[in-house]
Amino acid sequence: MSGKQSKTSRASVRAGAGAASGAVNVLGEVKYVIPLNQGKNAYIRNITTGRTPNVRTNSDAFVEEIRTLAAAGHGAKIKAELEALATEFPGQGWDAALQRLVDAEALS
């Protein structure tokens, strides 16, 4: 895997930044989880590494990305984001993704 972010990834993040719903920045705050594919995938904006990987929400890579951010002190914000996604998109499995992170103790 190369260290560069793909053009598609950059374009999707930029497109998400301009969208009214699911915007990347809200009142100057960075969104860490950018939903994709009806909740099956997500871009995780990892500010500790400077990367925005596209991961499946049911994968170990998703848990590890969140664990890295939580270790840097962003766990509560990510939990709030996932709770908001679960409320806004109830059929997309965000509640299951959140529960998986809680079970793996990745948000602590």
Side-chain angles (χ1 to χ4, degrees):
M1 184 159 122
S2 72
K4 294 177 75 175
Q5 191 178 32
S6 72
K7 285 190 228 178
T8 304
S9 172
R10 288 190 303 270
S12 294
V13 171
R14 278 194 303 270
S21 169
V24 176
N25 289 316
V26 176
L27 298 176
E29 293 186 30
V30 173
K31 292 286 189 180
Y32 296 98
V33 180
I34 302 165
L36 299 168
N37 195 19
Q38 303 294 314
K40 294 178 182 135
N41 294 67
Y43 283 123
I44 306 299
R45 179 165 289 179
N46 191 330
I47 60 174
T48 61
T49 63
R51 295 188 175 165
T52 308
N54 178 350
V55 295
R56 292 193 57 79
T57 55
N58 64 356
S59 71
D60 291 338
F62 177 75
V63 173
E64 291 308 313
E65 288 293 331
I66 300 298
R67 189 182 317 262
T68 300
L69 287 166
H74 305 285
K77 173 85 167 81
I78 293 169
K79 183 177 181 187
E81 281 185 30
L82 292 172
E83 288 169 345
L85 286 170
T87 301
E88 190 173 347
F89 306 106
Q92 293 187 2
W94 293 107
D95 52 345
L98 177 59
Q99 187 60 50
R100 187 164 186 264
L101 293 169
V102 168
D103 292 345
E105 298 179 356
L107 294 169
S108 309

